Structures are given as C-alpha cells and as structure tokens.
Amino acid sequence: MDTKAKRQELVKGLSDYFNGDISRVKRFASQLKSLGFDLNDFDTLCQLERNGEALIVLLGLSNFGVLKTVTDCIMYIRGHQSADEYIKEYGDRIKSMPPPR
C-alpha cells in the first residue's frame, strides 16, 4: 500500500466517523497537522493506524472543542495567528478563570 492509499483509508474512516461531513474531516486533519503530524508521510499514517486508541482520544478532544484550543495555542506560539485574534478569542475565557490555588 502506498501513501496515497493509506491517506484515503484515513479520510474514509474519518468521513464515516463524522457521518460524511467533509468539513469536519478537513478540520480534524488540520488539527492533526497543527499538532505536527505529517499526513503526507506513510510512516506517520501507519503510526496513526497502529495507535488507533490515541487517535480516538484526539477525536474525542476535537468533539469537545478542546483540541481546537490546543491547536490554536500551538499555531499562536508558532506565529501563525495574530495576537489580537488570539486574545479576542481566549481573553475573556482566561479572565473568567479562577486563579490557581
């Protein structure tokens, strides 16, 4: 099996998981890329397949919106998101959090 076929297999599985909603598949793939996964690399695709339980955890985090927050933080740290946009999106949440004890 080559990289293209392995990637198609992942896309099909994610499409089934997201009930055919391709926009959610694309969003999740983008989140995986933000986390550093190269979805054009055969070995990476094989690792995702072999460790499906971890992929399921990432899907769960994505479903609850947590993975988006993590990937937004990574993109911000890497300089791919403007500070104003980031602060606008997360500033109110951060201000409303109680201080750590």
Side-chain angles (χ1 to χ4, degrees), residues 65-95:
V66 177
L67 192 58
K68 179 189 180 314
T69 302
V70 171
T71 58
D72 283 353
C73 291
I74 290 169
M75 296 301 285
Y76 178 64
I77 290 167
R78 290 179 180 161
H80 299 292
Q81 193 175 40
S82 82
D84 291 339
E85 287 176 25
Y86 184 83
I87 291 167
K88 181 180 176 186
E89 185 168 351
Y90 294 102
D92 290 339
R93 281 194 238 171
I94 291 168
K95 287 177 190 174

